[in-house]
Amino acid sequence: MSQIDFGSDQPPGLEDLDRDLLIPPARYTTPEFAALERAHLWSRVWLVAGVHLDVAKPGDYFAFDFGHESILVTCDEDGTVKAFHNICQHRGHTLADPGSGHCDRFVCPYHGWEWDTGGTLRKIPLAARFPQGFQANRRKLAPVACEIFAGLVWICLREPEVSLAEFLGPIYRHVQPYHAEAFQVNWDWTAEWGCNWKTAIDGFNDTYHGPATHPQFSAFIDTTAARFQYGDMHSLFVIEHGVRTGKDAAAEIGEPMASALRRAGINPAQYAGRHEEARARLAAHRRAEATKHGWDASGLLDGQLTDTHHFYVFPNVHIDFHGANALTIQRFRPHASNPDQCLVDVIDLKRVPKHGTLKRTAHVHVPLGQPQHGIVYVQDIERLTRIQKGLHSSGFSGALLSDMERRISHMHLSIDRWLAPHVPDALRTRLT
Ligand code: FES
Ligand SMILES: [Fe+2]
């Protein structure tokens, strides 16, 4: 077997291909649905907080907003990673500004209360002016559940209902063998987009728009050849690189496989018409390279060494491996008050040989309406902003989805499971 087995080839509940799922557009546009998500989804699921390397040393921290919440992740004196609500327990001022840094005390700018990296209150100016004393629960920052997996810090805003491993299920099993903890950040940016967080993630769960929206892809990747697999709430698509079928079966190896072979010292011209052999040869080369560079690739199947594996982590993250040495994380965050906006974080990571380091470029924040980074994102946000407008139209009653867009239906069915029984009929997805 050269490809992983993630689950079913149809989303659970959507096995009957003759039936469609009506997704009411108001799920994308109304404060009412955003409030349901806040109360019954975001507070209960495991969420990606950031990159473990950003809190690798005692005193490292990062802070970020998630909808109405603000979260602080620290590395304590003993090296433990901890997460807290980024909120001073005196009067509720936020403590750290969004972004990362290094310190041994968080000083609230309003009245000067000081907290250490473990969340303990260390200093209260004019403490004698509090004759009532300090209740024990006001002496600590409010903790948030936190775990490390795949080089990422994960949090759960409420007491977790299941462990991270259980929540991630097949993601946990199939991402773990990449040893993503050895990856380093190459670049990362955050952008404010003029669409709902679901509109944004739909745009990356859908491979149907590739030819029309990103015509440049056809030179090096066939997005229409993506094979989908579905778990309970997460999903995966795989694009096998270098596979040619039908009249192209005897052709020369195309891009990006041809370049990958050349970089491995293999002449692609020798493998015309023998694409599976070329893929096996490249996988063997990459296994040998892994051993040379000191990481264990034995848990990866051959396909994971050569192909695109695009993992959708319910509800709002993509973990997208390009072969086994390059990784893109995308995180889609809801806006605190406006369902027509969201925040998109993109992190590009690379595997770095033992004891090596990567030069990381400074994090960039792209405000709403400003030019995006990279042509693909320029193309996507142009389309997605117009989709968001269409979702408000009285002339649009809901999408008709192809089998290349079934991840969208899958996500909405999963959302409804988390929101049940709170979703009013008008906002509920239904089979038609
Ligand atoms: S609100 Fe933080 S010290 Fe007063
Ligand atoms: Fe796109």
Side-chain angles (χ1 to χ4, degrees), residues 88 90-93 108 110-113:
C88 172
H90 173 224
R91 291 262 299 280
H93 199 287
C108 180
Y110 200 13
H111 310 91
W113 284 29

Short mmCIF file of all heavy atoms in Angstrom, two decimals, residues 88 90-93 108 110-113, ligand 1:
data_model
loop_
_atom_site.label_atom_id
_atom_site.label_comp_id
_atom_site.label_asym_id
_atom_site.label_seq_id
_atom_site.Cartn_x
_atom_site.Cartn_y
_atom_site.Cartn_z
N CYS A 88 -6.15 40.23 32.44
CA CYS A 88 -5.81 40.58 33.81
C CYS A 88 -7.01 40.34 34.71
O CYS A 88 -8.14 40.71 34.38
CB CYS A 88 -5.39 42.05 33.86
SG CYS A 88 -5.15 42.66 35.53
N HIS A 90 -7.60 41.66 37.53
CA HIS A 90 -8.05 42.79 38.33
C HIS A 90 -9.32 43.38 37.74
O HIS A 90 -10.40 43.22 38.27
CB HIS A 90 -6.93 43.86 38.41
CG HIS A 90 -7.37 45.13 39.06
ND1 HIS A 90 -7.06 46.37 38.57
CD2 HIS A 90 -8.16 45.34 40.15
CE1 HIS A 90 -7.63 47.30 39.34
NE2 HIS A 90 -8.28 46.68 40.31
N ARG A 91 -9.22 43.99 36.56
CA ARG A 91 -10.41 44.59 35.96
C ARG A 91 -10.66 44.11 34.54
O ARG A 91 -11.56 44.61 33.88
CB ARG A 91 -10.25 46.12 35.97
CG ARG A 91 -10.29 46.77 37.36
CD ARG A 91 -11.67 47.34 37.69
NE ARG A 91 -12.05 48.37 36.75
CZ ARG A 91 -11.63 49.64 36.79
NH1 ARG A 91 -10.84 50.04 37.74
NH2 ARG A 91 -12.05 50.50 35.88
N GLY A 92 -9.81 43.17 34.06
CA GLY A 92 -10.14 42.56 32.77
C GLY A 92 -9.42 43.15 31.58
O GLY A 92 -9.79 42.86 30.43
N HIS A 93 -8.40 43.96 31.81
CA HIS A 93 -7.60 44.47 30.68
C HIS A 93 -6.87 43.29 30.02
O HIS A 93 -6.48 42.34 30.71
CB HIS A 93 -6.56 45.45 31.24
CG HIS A 93 -5.98 46.38 30.23
ND1 HIS A 93 -5.07 45.97 29.28
CD2 HIS A 93 -6.14 47.72 30.04
CE1 HIS A 93 -4.71 47.01 28.55
NE2 HIS A 93 -5.34 48.09 28.98
N CYS A 108 0.32 44.27 33.61
CA CYS A 108 -0.89 44.87 33.06
C CYS A 108 -0.69 46.39 33.00
O CYS A 108 -0.35 47.02 34.01
CB CYS A 108 -2.10 44.53 33.93
SG CYS A 108 -3.61 45.28 33.29
N TYR A 110 -2.72 48.76 32.87
CA TYR A 110 -3.73 49.67 33.45
C TYR A 110 -3.37 50.10 34.87
O TYR A 110 -3.27 51.29 35.17
CB TYR A 110 -5.10 48.99 33.38
CG TYR A 110 -6.27 49.94 33.48
CD1 TYR A 110 -6.10 51.33 33.33
CD2 TYR A 110 -7.56 49.47 33.69
CE1 TYR A 110 -7.17 52.20 33.39
CE2 TYR A 110 -8.65 50.33 33.76
CZ TYR A 110 -8.44 51.70 33.62
OH TYR A 110 -9.51 52.55 33.69
N HIS A 111 -3.18 49.12 35.78
CA HIS A 111 -2.84 49.48 37.16
C HIS A 111 -1.56 48.82 37.63
O HIS A 111 -1.17 48.97 38.78
CB HIS A 111 -3.97 49.09 38.13
CG HIS A 111 -5.33 49.55 37.72
ND1 HIS A 111 -6.17 48.78 36.95
CD2 HIS A 111 -5.98 50.72 37.97
CE1 HIS A 111 -7.30 49.43 36.73
NE2 HIS A 111 -7.21 50.62 37.34
N GLY A 112 -0.94 48.02 36.75
CA GLY A 112 0.39 47.51 37.06
C GLY A 112 0.46 46.17 37.77
O GLY A 112 1.51 45.81 38.30
N TRP A 113 -0.62 45.40 37.81
CA TRP A 113 -0.50 44.06 38.38
C TRP A 113 0.47 43.24 37.52
O TRP A 113 0.51 43.39 36.29
CB TRP A 113 -1.87 43.34 38.40
CG TRP A 113 -2.80 43.82 39.49
CD1 TRP A 113 -2.83 45.06 40.05
CD2 TRP A 113 -3.84 43.06 40.11
NE1 TRP A 113 -3.83 45.13 40.98
CE2 TRP A 113 -4.47 43.92 41.04
CE3 TRP A 113 -4.31 41.76 39.98
CZ2 TRP A 113 -5.54 43.50 41.84
CZ3 TRP A 113 -5.39 41.34 40.76
CH2 TRP A 113 -5.98 42.21 41.69
S1 FES B 1 -6.92 45.91 34.91
FE1 FES B 1 -5.01 45.00 35.07
S2 FES B 1 -4.07 45.94 36.75
FE2 FES B 1 -6.01 46.79 36.65
#
